[in-house]
Amino acid sequence: MSKWLTTLKETKIIPLIAVNDLDQAKQMMQLLVEANILVAEIGFNQPNSSQILTALKHEYPEALFLAGGIIQQESAALAIESGADILITPSINPKILKFAQNNDCPIIPGVNTPLSLEMALENNISLVKFFPAEASGGVKLIKALNSVYPNITYIPSGGIDDSNIDEYFAHKNVIACGTGFISETKQIQKGNWRLLKTRIKTIQSILKYT
């Protein structure tokens, strides 16, 4: 098993940092590190996403950084150049899949239908992002898909917080969950660090029993 996959399984959550301010991103990452969460997804839909990823990778070389929201090959190239360990796409994009594989960069594509699952399998990918999780049917859809595609493993993302994360981990094929609950953009921008610390502790207490 690859080191990055082991890290995801052990950490269980992938906090999404989606801000355009480097200082705010650094402060959020510091909260995560203090909680021994050495994983973060950097949303690549901000003007400064590349600079933020590069800076965080330099400051926290031991952490695993995923570049999320990749929808163009140019963004994929920039993310890899900026230090991304893994690419995450919201859907199956054959060009981006091929580009990532040609550059030896792990990629986790987004799926939520049988067709998209089969496209992933055709590209030798069995770990996928289930997105948008809650809007697509949540755990019920994962169970239904698993009955036909039992070898697929999932990282659900979208609408996951302290009220439902345990439901996802009740499914054996879920290895981690993406969440913005503990790194909510508007709370970062407001500087509500105490609230975010509380959310981190809440999620970690739930994960102890999953």
Side-chain angles (χ1 to χ4, degrees):
M1 184 182 299
S2 62
K3 183 178 180 180
W4 64 265
L5 184 55
T6 299
T7 298
L8 292 181
K9 287 185 174 182
E10 291 178 347
T11 307
K12 294 186 177 181
I13 50 173
I14 305 174
L16 171 63
I17 300 178
V19 294
N20 196 42
D21 184 277
L22 178 56
D23 288 336
Q24 291 175 348
K26 284 184 176 182
Q27 289 183 74
M28 185 66 239
M29 191 65 204
Q30 184 60 36
L31 286 188
L32 296 175
V33 171
E34 289 173 358
N36 200 33
I37 300 172
L38 300 178
V39 175
E41 176 184 343
I42 307 302
F44 244 67
N45 55 355
Q46 304 286 336
N48 290 335
S49 298
S50 174
Q51 294 90 331
I52 288 172
L53 176 55
T54 298
L56 293 181
K57 186 69 176 178
H58 176 76
E59 191 159 341
Y60 302 98
E62 73 282 12
L64 183 71
F65 289 102
L66 302 86
I70 302 295
I71 59 175
Q72 296 177 330
Q73 183 173 312
E74 292 78 10
S75 297
L78 182 59
I80 293 173
E81 181 181 335
S82 303
D85 298 294
I86 304 169
L87 301 181
I88 298 186
T89 60
S91 64
I92 294 282
N93 185 316
K95 289 184 178 180
I96 295 178
L97 287 179
K98 184 176 181 181
F99 178 82
Q101 291 170 342
N102 287 343
N103 285 273
D104 297 320
C105 182
I107 184 168
I108 305 173
V111 305
N112 64 357
T113 64
L115 176 59
S116 55
L117 277 176
E118 291 188 10
M119 291 177 65
L121 290 171
E122 286 180 3
N123 285 277
N124 299 313
I125 293 174
S126 59
L127 171 61
V128 297
K129 173 182 179 178
F130 178 60
F131 176 81
E134 283 292 283
S136 297
V139 179
K140 288 183 178 180
L141 182 54
I142 290 179
K143 289 180 178 178
L145 292 171
N146 185 68
S147 66
V148 183
Y149 308 98
N151 296 322
I152 291 285
T153 51
Y154 300 90
I155 297 178
S157 181
I160 298 176
D161 55 27
D162 59 336
S163 69
N164 57 17
I165 194 169
D166 57 335
E167 298 174 8
Y168 284 92
F169 279 110
H171 196 287
K172 61 183 178 63
N173 284 43
V174 171
I175 68 163
C177 285
T179 178
F181 172 70
I182 63 176
S183 53
E184 187 180 358
T185 299
K186 68 178 181 180
Q187 302 303 338
I188 294 176
Q189 292 171 336
K190 290 179 180 179
N192 288 339
W193 307 115
R194 181 175 296 180
L195 171 63
L196 294 173
K197 282 184 179 180
T198 300
R199 289 185 178 184
I200 290 172
K201 290 180 179 179
T202 299
I203 285 292
Q204 288 185 316
S205 66
I206 295 172
L207 293 179
K208 287 181 180 179
Y209 301 98
T210 62

